[in-house]
């Protein structure tokens, strides 16, 4: 990526992603952030992932146990797939990640509220998982849609919207443009996209830019968090397909021939996912109850 | 379906006639000879006339000279890479660019097409025209760069709004426009810059293509463009944007 592109890309992001990294490196909140009623969540101890999950993430799985993004509808089958927790580099060089989180006390309504309310400032993104989450932007039009009481959640506030997240998942700060998509746009068979097979979806694809090296090629990954109601809560099934993007309901491999997504990058994202959603599942019911599930700016 | 757009000007020392001859008959022949099964359609758009920036600008901030914009369509990214990375394409096609194009200043982007319906895709003059709709011998390609500070997702939303506004307020264009396609720039664009020898040119966020019946109908675009620029929201950097009146020259045809 040329420097010229970077300068232009950065013009709408105020303060800049790099300035947000500097604040994050202090390890604390700004004085303004500390005044917000939900700042206390930043200072809570993190809920760690289940040790079994971390153990499953230690080594790659056999790629034959993975599914490709073309098999996304397999996630609508009852029960579980061969691999629900694990990661690997596929023979074609792309990356695969699966994770399963049981979330007692969490509802799909809470999840959609979170992915709407959370976007409105950096602090909300930080309290989700402070070791990695640095900052977050949305466009003025997305903000307007989120704050409009007439908007449908998630149809108007999440699906079709872009989140611009700054995070560090172990390879240095990255600026990720996450394009959230509706189930149709992800390629799901809408005849089967219903309860009890699925209760909700947070999915799309992301383009990433390394903040320390804006000239490095951009990575791309399809992300799929598919939610299912279970007794007393939900289960959160994650799949990442690294090296792919989504286009009009179809996953397209964008990884050039001969290139491979590095194993450390796949494992890094798998572990990050395990950690961030381990904390999320404990924090979400508490903050949702406290704030009444309302959408507000400050 | 990813589509590569490369917009170049002739290299120093060539006349327009030299350039068009080389582009169509030499480069086009080489490209056809080494065309890959992965390739979809490949069309050259030879520039007849063009305008850069607006009449309010005293000067244009970029290179105010573009002689052709080529479009290569693929079914998928693997097909695109397989074509561009094939040894014959690298050796014969990519290396040929330097003989006609000012390569360091070529605008290159990978895009995704979004076709928007038009009210009159068919001309009513001749019943025979009904055999093929959405075509025309006059074409405009408009390269748009978003205004500074505008988020990319908002840019695309405003572009659609501005298009609707312009179509409402440009009756001649509404009547004469036969086809309209937006091509949105993808983040993977930088991966093909090396093929075209691009060094450092401004990035454009999208290209609008307009088809009219004949080059005589292209003035309908001027009416449309005035309305587009008058749309109330600030979304486009008109001073850095430009449009080309072009003649389509199909090199490698596949049914769209």
């Amino acid at each position: 990526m040329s420097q010229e592109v970077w300068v232009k890309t950065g013009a709408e992001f105020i303060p800049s992603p790099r300035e947000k990294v500097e604040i994050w490196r202090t390890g604390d909140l700004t004085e303004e952030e500390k005044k917000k009623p939900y700042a206390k969540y930043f200072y809570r101890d993190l809920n760690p992932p289940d040790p079994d999950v971390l153990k499953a993430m230690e080594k790659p799985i056999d790629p034959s146990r993975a599914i490709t993004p073309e098999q996304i509808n397999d996630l609508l089958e009852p029960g579980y797939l061969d691999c629900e927790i694990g990661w690997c580099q596929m023979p074609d060089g792309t990356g695969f990640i699966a994770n399963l989180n049981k979330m007692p006390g969490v509802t799909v309504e809470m999840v959609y509220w979170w992915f709407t309310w959370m976007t409105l400032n950096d602090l909300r993104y930080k309290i989700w998982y402070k070791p990695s989450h640095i900052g977050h932007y949305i466009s003025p039009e997305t903000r307007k849609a989120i704050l409009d009481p007439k908007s449908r959640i998630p149809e108007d506030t999440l699906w079709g919207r872009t989140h611009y997240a700054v995070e560090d998942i172990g390879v240095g700060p990255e600026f990720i443009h996450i394009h959230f998509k509706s189930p149709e746009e992800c390629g799901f068979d809408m005849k089967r996209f219903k309860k009890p097979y699925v209760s909700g979806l947070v999915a799309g694809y992301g383009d990433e830019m390394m903040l320390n090296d804006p000239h490095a090629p951009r990575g791309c990954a399809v992300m799929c968090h598919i939610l299912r109601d279970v007794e007393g809560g939900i289960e959160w099934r994650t799949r990442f397909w690294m090296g792919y993007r989504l286009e009009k309901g179809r996953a397209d491999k964008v990884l050039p021939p001969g290139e491979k997504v590095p194993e450390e990058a796949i494992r890094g994202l798998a572990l990050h996912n395990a950690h961030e959603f381990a904390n999320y599942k404990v924090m979400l019911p508490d903050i949702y109850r406290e704030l009444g599930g309302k959408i507000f700016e400050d | 379906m990813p589509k590569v757009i490369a917009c170049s000007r002739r290299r120093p020392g060539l006349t327009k006639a030299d350039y068009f001859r080389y582009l169509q008959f030499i480069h086009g022949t080489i490209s056809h000879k080494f065309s890959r099964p992965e390739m979809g359609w490949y069309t050259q758009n030879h520039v007849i006339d063009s305008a850069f920036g607006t009449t309010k600008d005293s000067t244009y901030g970029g290179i105010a000279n573009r002689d052709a914009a080529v479009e290569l369509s693929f079914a998928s990214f693997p097909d695109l890479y397989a074509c561009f990375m094939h040894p014959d394409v690298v050796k014969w096609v990519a290396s040929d660019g330097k003989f006609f194009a000012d390569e360091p200043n070529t605008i290159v982007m990978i895009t995704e097409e979004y076709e928007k319906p038009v009210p009159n895709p068919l001309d009513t003059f001749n019943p025979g025209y009904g055999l093929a709709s959405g075509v025309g011998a006059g074409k405009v390609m408009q390269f748009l760069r978003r205004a500074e500070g505008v988020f990319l997702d908002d840019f695309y939303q405003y572009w659609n709004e501005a298009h609707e506004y312009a179509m409402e307020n440009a009756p001649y264009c509404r009547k004469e426009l036969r086809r309209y396609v937006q091509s949105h720039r993808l983040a993977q664009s930088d991966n093909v810059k090396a093929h075209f020898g691009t060094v450092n040119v401004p990035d454009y966020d999208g290209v609008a293509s307009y088809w009219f019946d004949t080059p005589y109908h292209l003035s309908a675009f001027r009416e449309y463009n005035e309305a587009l620029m008058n749309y109330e929201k600030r979304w486009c950097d008109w001073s850095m944007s430009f449009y080309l009146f072009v003649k389509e020259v199909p090199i490698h045809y596949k049914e769209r």
Side-chain angles (χ1 to χ4, degrees):
Chain A
M1 170 171 297
S2 70
Q3 195 61 29
E4 202 284 332
V5 178
W6 167 246
V7 170
K8 177 170 175 283
T9 305
E12 61 273 31
F13 302 109
I14 303 169
S16 74
R18 286 192 181 93
E19 288 172 304
K20 294 195 180 197
V21 171
E22 291 310 311
I23 295 168
W24 171 74
R25 282 191 174 134
T26 66
D28 202 357
L29 300 178
T30 64
E31 292 307 312
E32 192 183 337
E33 285 173 330
K34 286 177 185 172
K35 291 176 191 157
K36 296 191 188 294
Y38 44 88
K40 61 186 177 214
Y41 288 92
F42 183 83
Y43 297 105
R44 286 198 347 183
D45 290 337
L46 294 166
N47 182 56
D50 186 329
D52 290 342
V53 171
L54 294 180
K55 189 167 172 35
M57 298 282 191
E58 276 177 8
K59 290 179 182 168
I61 61 161
D62 184 326
S64 66
R65 298 179 58 210
I67 60 167
T68 64
E70 292 79 17
Q71 296 170 285
I72 197 167
N73 282 296
D74 289 2
L75 290 164
L76 300 178
E77 297 289 338
Y80 300 97
L81 299 179
D82 184 21
C83 175
E84 290 288 340
I85 302 173
W87 62 271
C88 67
Q89 186 188 67
M90 300 294 279
D92 66 357
T94 59
F96 170 80
I97 294 168
N99 195 14
L100 173 65
N101 252 299
K102 303 277 187 186
M103 299 192 176
V106 174
T107 64
V108 172
E109 189 181 8
M110 288 180 193
V111 171
Y112 286 147
W113 169 80
W114 173 261
F115 277 92
T116 301
W117 177 84
M118 175 275 294
T119 64
L120 292 165
N121 68 40
D122 289 340
L123 174 57
R124 300 173 188 193
Y125 186 56
K126 289 177 188 175
I127 63 177
W128 175 357
Y129 187 60
K130 60 188 173 188
S132 297
H133 290 185
I134 297 168
H136 199 278
Y137 307 85
I138 50 171
S139 76
E141 288 296 332
T142 297
R143 182 174 297 273
K144 197 158 76 179
I146 284 172
L147 292 171
D148 183 349
K150 294 194 291 295
S151 288
R152 297 165 303 155
I153 299 173
E155 291 87 347
D156 301 325
T157 60
L158 179 64
W159 296 344
R161 298 288 172 186
T162 300
H163 293 182
Y164 303 87
V166 188
E167 64 180 328
D168 184 346
I169 58 169
V171 290
E174 293 176 81
F175 193 26
I176 308 174
H177 299 189
I178 308 168
H179 311 281
F180 288 89
K181 300 290 180 188
S182 67
E184 295 99 314
E185 291 172 312
C186 291
F188 278 106
D189 174 0
M190 295 311 293
K191 288 183 190 143
R192 295 165 61 203
F193 197 89
K194 57 190 175 189
K195 292 181 180 180
Y197 314 111
V198 55
S199 311
L201 182 76
V202 178
Y205 77 93
D207 293 311
E208 54 145 29
M209 175 196 299
M210 298 303 299
L211 281 175
N212 294 339
D213 184 8
H215 295 273
R218 280 189 173 197
C220 202
V222 170
M223 164 193 84
C224 176
H225 302 298
I226 188 163
L227 320 180
R228 216 162 35 181
D229 287 337
V230 292
E231 196 174 337
I234 62 166
E235 60 182 5
W236 184 287
R237 300 166 75 202
T238 292
R239 298 293 182 278
F240 280 99
W241 291 283
M242 299 170 80
Y244 285 90
R245 70 184 292 273
L246 286 170
E247 182 191 333
K248 296 169 186 163
R250 192 189 65 157
D252 199 8
K253 183 187 161 195
V254 295
L255 192 70
E259 288 193 17
K260 293 174 189 289
V261 180
E263 283 203 336
E264 52 270 33
I266 306 168
R267 183 170 179 270
L269 180 56
L271 286 171
H272 170 72
N273 177 265
H275 280 278
E276 70 175 347
F277 282 102
N279 196 52
Y280 173 88
K281 68 181 178 184
V282 172
M283 176 211 51
L284 181 57
D286 291 348
I287 196 165
Y288 182 82
R289 268 191 295 274
E290 182 180 336
L291 301 178
K294 296 191 178 88
I295 306 291
F296 57 91
E297 179 98 62
D298 294 326
Chain B
M1 291 178 67
K3 181 180 76 175
V4 176
I5 299 177
C7 185
S8 69
R9 64 172 181 174
R10 60 192 187 273
R11 75 173 175 120
L14 294 192
T15 65
K16 278 195 174 185
D18 294 334
Y19 173 85
F20 288 136
R21 173 179 171 268
Y22 198 101
L23 180 62
Q24 181 172 354
F25 296 105
I26 310 300
H27 188 67
T29 301
I30 292 170
S31 302
H32 193 68
K33 184 172 179 178
F34 294 105
S35 67
R36 301 286 313 149
E38 301 88 8
M39 204 159 87
W41 51 270
Y42 167 29
T43 296
Q44 296 179 352
N45 298 281
H46 295 191
V47 175
I48 302 163
D49 202 353
S50 55
F52 296 79
T54 75
T55 53
K56 292 174 185 163
D57 303 318
S58 56
T59 187
Y60 182 67
I63 292 170
N65 177 15
R66 297 285 165 190
D67 294 311
V70 302
E71 299 171 277
L72 298 92
S73 169
F74 298 88
S76 66
F77 265 92
D79 283 355
L80 184 155
Y81 288 129
C83 176
F84 278 101
M85 294 172 74
H86 189 276
D88 284 344
V89 174
V90 172
K91 183 176 179 183
W92 299 108
V93 184
S95 65
D96 188 49
K98 61 180 176 289
F99 297 116
F100 62 92
D102 174 359
E103 286 190 319
N105 289 304
T106 298
I107 297 165
V108 180
M109 56 177 108
I110 303 179
T111 65
E112 187 173 333
E113 282 195 344
Y114 294 88
E115 181 154 1
K116 310 280 176 189
V118 296
N120 300 303
L122 273 174
D123 184 9
T124 53
F125 171 67
N126 185 337
Y129 293 157
L131 291 172
S133 66
V135 295
K139 182 179 177 185
V140 182
M141 294 181 77
Q142 185 174 33
F143 287 68
L144 297 171
R145 183 171 157 101
R146 75 191 131 117
E148 190 165 289
V150 174
F151 282 71
L152 194 56
D153 45 336
D154 285 357
F155 169 78
Y156 292 129
Q157 179 182 327
Y158 297 156
W159 186 4
N160 283 326
E161 291 172 6
H163 170 69
E164 294 297 322
Y165 172 83
M167 288 296 279
E168 278 174 23
N169 290 280
Y172 180 42
C173 182
R174 193 166 64 239
K175 180 168 171 279
E176 299 298 340
L177 184 61
R178 300 293 175 239
R179 189 171 177 228
Y180 174 75
V181 173
Q182 291 181 358
S183 301
H184 296 187
R185 184 185 195 275
L186 302 179
Q188 288 74 29
S189 292
D190 297 311
N191 295 349
V192 293
K193 281 184 173 174
H195 176 90
F196 291 92
T198 297
V199 176
N200 196 11
V201 291
D203 281 314
Y204 289 82
D205 300 295
V207 179
S209 296
Y210 312 77
W211 283 262
F212 298 92
D213 290 337
T214 73
Y216 301 108
H217 293 90
L218 292 177
S219 60
F221 170 77
R222 300 296 292 268
E223 180 199 46
Y224 167 93
N225 195 43
E226 285 299 314
L228 197 70
M229 289 196 291
N230 284 334
Y231 182 59
E232 60 182 2
K233 289 181 184 169
R234 179 182 163 276
W235 63 285
C236 185
D237 180 352
W238 293 109
S239 294
M240 281 301 291
S241 299
F242 65 90
Y243 59 83
L244 312 170
F245 291 163
V246 300
K247 176 190 170 192
E248 279 193 313
V249 179
I251 299 296
H252 190 78
Y253 180 80
K254 265 191 187 174
E255 195 68 43
R256 294 188 188 190

